[in-house]
Amino acid sequence: MDVRGADADIPVVSLSDGVVTLRPWSRDDAGFMAEAFADPAIRRYNGAHDRLGRPAPPLSIEDAEAIIDEFASRWRAFGAAQPPSGVAFAITDAASGGLVGCCGVDDWSKGDVAQFGYWIGPGARGRGYATRAVVLLTRWLFELGAARAFLTVEADNEASAAVARRAGFVHEGTMRAHSVWQGERIDVMWFAALPHEWTMREPAEPT
């Protein structure tokens, strides 16, 4: 883990295993984010939905910049010793620096339970980036003192569920009819890891 100050109040946290690097988002990344959020799978599983499960319109560059600005404000709060709720990392290829996806902390409870999520752009799927990113992020959360880390996956999102399992998360159960997509109720799976039993808690050697 590399931590350095971009300016007086925004910490820059970089996590890497030599294959994948996680770093904070920059406004320069807005084009990639906007393009990714036009992808049907990201709109289905990661984008904003209304109460009937209808996706929001694709992001404009300005929309993406506003999201990245909000990420920056959450990093400022983290730099001021608040929990890392709302912080997000760009997932990049460590060798090329190219953007491949996103992972971030959705919530950090008063009981030190961290919820997070992730997505990978369509051109980078199937290469192991998501699993490596989840391992890096989870290790960081436990280093910060999380007593539990969890994520939720819609039951028909088999690829994301496979990532959670490969990253050492346990399927604890399924919440029936917990979500909605295009007016249809959808089951949601719950995956979690505890620091004392997580099998990937030790850093792996870069490959």
Side-chain angles (χ1 to χ4, degrees), residues 19-120:
V19 177
V20 165
T21 296
L22 311 184
R23 61 160 175 80
W25 286 82
S26 160
R27 271 190 156 221
D28 293 339
D29 306 324
F32 172 83
M33 180 181 285
E35 183 177 351
F37 269 82
D39 174 67
I42 291 177
R43 285 166 60 77
R44 166 69 179 87
Y45 295 116
N46 299 93
H49 302 152
D50 67 15
R51 64 184 302 272
L52 296 178
R54 296 173 298 205
L59 299 178
S60 66
I61 296 293
E62 291 75 18
D63 294 333
E65 288 175 341
I67 292 171
I68 292 168
D69 288 346
E70 176 61 23
F71 290 162
S73 74
R74 298 303 183 108
W75 278 113
R76 289 187 187 94
F78 175 64
Q82 294 184 30
S85 183
V87 303
F89 291 96
I91 305 171
T92 69
D93 181 274
S96 69
L99 287 156
V100 299
C102 177
C103 62
V105 185
D106 298 319
D107 185 55
W108 183 291
S109 77
K110 292 181 179 179
D112 292 326
V113 174
Q115 178 180 5
F116 68 90
Y118 49 87
W119 55 261
I120 297 293

Side-chain angles (χ1 to χ4, degrees), residues 111-115 141-142 145-150 172 190-195:
D112 292 326
V113 174
Q115 178 180 5
L141 293 172
F142 289 155
R148 171 181 168 87
F150 79 94
E172 295 186 332
W190 191 289
F191 292 88
L194 304 180

